[in-house]
Amino acid sequence: DQILESHEIPNELKYLAVIESALNGNARSHAGAVGYWQFMAPTARDMGLVVNRSRDDRKDLHKSTQGAAKYLTYLYGQLDDWLLVVAAYNSGPRPVLNAIKRTGKSDFWTIKPYLPRETQNHVLAFIATATIMERLNEYIEPGLPTNFDWASLNDKAQQFQKSDMPENPLLKRFGKEELQKMADRK
């Protein structure tokens, strides 16, 4: 919170790390993004983080949040809208700028159809997560304990071995051919 505040970034943007990594510093995407904020190595280095064989600042919550704050500020300087920043954080600024150019508008809801589907869903997931987290105490009485251990959620998730689960959970119930037929009907 303090790092984002010092960069004049809305506090709700901290939930971007929840969407990106589930607050798991060791998270790694299929594309190679790493850490709490899911930085690719070149972007991390551009934001002042060290990424080499012996050190990876993307896995350090404090350092990677500093880098994320710099990147979010950079994106806001280009886009001047926080939802567009969330979109650009996911896809990179080029698809967002192209959608703005195509529509002549610079708000997420207008350009949404012109963004990659993953980016559209990413922004919607961010909105939902931020809304739920900001209003959580309204729904849970008396609210989460102040000492709630968020890190334990990651520890529990790692207890499940990938080998214990099929590659696709639907394969427990349907065969690959049945799933393909269902997908083709869309």
Side-chain angles (χ1 to χ4, degrees):
D1 289 351
Q2 293 171 348
I3 293 170
L4 296 180
E5 185 179 321
S6 72
H7 287 267
E8 298 180 358
I9 295 171
N11 190 45
E12 293 81 8
L13 269 286
K14 67 185 173 190
Y15 300 118
L16 193 53
V18 173
I19 299 300
E20 292 290 337
S21 69
L23 299 178
N24 179 354
N26 292 313
R28 178 178 296 276
S29 76
H30 65 280
V34 171
Y36 294 98
W37 293 91
Q38 289 293 284
F39 276 118
M40 296 295 287
T43 306
R45 288 184 188 107
D46 288 346
M47 296 303 121
L49 302 177
V50 174
V51 179
N52 59 39
R53 290 179 191 231
S54 62
R55 182 171 140 193
D56 192 342
D57 288 345
R58 297 175 295 176
K59 295 180 180 183
D60 180 291
L61 181 58
H62 182 78
K63 290 176 182 176
S64 65
T65 301
Q66 287 283 1
K70 289 177 188 175
Y71 191 49
L72 292 167
T73 300
Y74 164 77
L75 292 173
Y76 188 77
Q78 283 188 308
L79 302 166
D80 199 33
D81 180 283
W82 289 111
L83 285 183
L84 295 181
V85 167
V86 172
Y89 197 94
N90 176 258
S91 67
R94 182 55 42 208
V96 176
L97 292 169
N98 288 344
I100 290 170
K101 185 176 181 180
R102 186 170 180 185
T103 62
K105 305 287 183 184
S106 60
D107 71 277
F108 172 74
W109 302 107
T110 302
I111 71 165
K112 180 179 173 267
Y114 302 97
L115 295 172
R117 184 159 311 276
E118 178 186 336
T119 300
Q120 294 177 36
N121 292 335
H122 188 78
V123 174
L124 297 176
F126 167 76
I127 293 168
T129 301
T131 301
I132 290 167
M133 296 301 284
E134 286 296 305
R135 297 183 178 174
L136 194 58
N137 286 338
E138 295 175 26
Y139 303 109
I140 299 175
E141 291 297 329
L144 288 176
T146 56
N147 64 346
F148 187 80
D149 183 10
W150 291 97
S152 71
L153 296 177
N154 288 327
D155 295 340
K156 289 176 182 155
Q158 291 172 3
Q159 290 174 0
F160 296 101
Q161 298 295 322
K162 272 194 164 187
S163 61
D164 296 343
M165 300 162 80
E167 186 177 312
N168 181 335
L170 291 175
L171 292 177
K172 283 185 172 180
R173 190 163 175 201
F174 303 104
K176 286 184 180 182
E177 292 171 19
E178 290 174 292
L179 290 173
Q180 186 61 49
K181 286 179 186 174
M182 288 183 231
D184 293 341
R185 288 186 205 156
K186 285 185 176 181

